[in-house]
Amino acid sequence: MTAVIRTVADLRATVAAWRRNGETIGLVPTMGALHDGHLSLAAHSRADNRRSIATLFVNPTQFGPKEDLAAYPRDEAADLAKLQSANVDALYAPSVAEMYPKGFATTVTVAGLTDHLCGPHRPGHFAGVATVVSKLLLQATPDRAYFGEKDFQQLQVIRRMAADLDIPVRIVGVPTVREADRLALSSRNRYLSAEDRAHAAALPRMLADIAGRLSREPGAVAREIAWGFHQLEDAGFRKVDYIEVCDVATLQPTRQVTAPSRVFAAAWLGRTRLIDNWQIGAA
Ligand code: AMP
């Protein structure tokens, strides 16, 4: 049975009982609308830890004023059923008031890693993420916490935050789960019209093609980015926020692939913003 926990006090009591038995704990933070990407995180947690907790919290502070907070898909009953099937021990689903009581005034910001990619396009987003994930880690005190490489900038921001704040947790990155046409699974894919869904695979195809060519020709970054913009525009993407090649450690854009790097993109199909990234070479 997956226990449903709503309060910090109940979460701490559950975790304390497990700790008394010497059990290890894995945490899987999510915003719900669970799909096989989330369940892959849960499977990694189950494999590494005696106990696993999934969290479901649609965090208002990581959405911009014009973003899809109100429309974000919510179906806790379906999420709970999936976690049950995945043998996750607990679902922690606090209210907004539980997470941000009256008077709440603290924000965690991570500099540098948020300068590029989604940072400038979503002001305040990573501060919202870093703040809520700090809270979840301090509330649940897991041994390990699991995050998807699909949101690679988020993964690196969380790694930096946990290290800088001396939070004793191992942050584990999990490879992106994809559809047959390589579109990364995302809760937001359900917003896509049938026509847009058919065009969406141009995004991972473009990233994979660029990654393949740059592994053979590391100096061709500018040419490949220009090619990528054309590919997405030809496939019907309405707007491309960015295509960048970045060093995986610093997330600073590069024009020459010398260190381990990934190619990153964010682009709009209709009113849906898709993001994805692809590793260059085997590094
Ligand atoms: P979200 O509910 O979209 O905030 O995502 C919760 C966690 O699941 C984050 O760590 C995401 O990176 C991860 N995630 C989302 N989509 C995928 C995917 N397709 N494959 C692997 N992990 C994913």
Side-chain angles (χ1 to χ4, degrees), residues 29-32 35 37-38 41 72 147-148 150-151 154 175-177 185:
T30 85
M31 297 205 301
H35 51 61
H38 299 114
L41 268 54
Y72 198 83
F147 297 88
K150 194 209 131 214
D151 302 287
Q154 168 175 282
T176 304
V177 178
L185 268 58

Side-chain angles (χ1 to χ4, degrees), residues 28-41 55 57 62 72 146-152 154-155 158 174-178 183-188:
V28 179
T30 85
M31 297 205 301
L34 299 184
H35 51 61
D36 285 350
H38 299 114
L39 297 181
S40 171
L41 268 54
T55 77
F57 183 62
Q62 71 188 66
Y72 198 83
Y146 296 80
F147 297 88
E149 290 182 349
K150 194 209 131 214
D151 302 287
F152 195 84
Q154 168 175 282
L155 169 64
I158 290 165
V174 176
T176 304
V177 178
R178 299 177 180 280
L183 178 67
L185 268 58
S186 165
S187 305
R188 290 188 167 99

Side-chain angles (χ1 to χ4, degrees), residues 6 74 181 201 208 248:
R6 302 278 175 201
R74 289 168 171 87
D181 64 1
V248 295

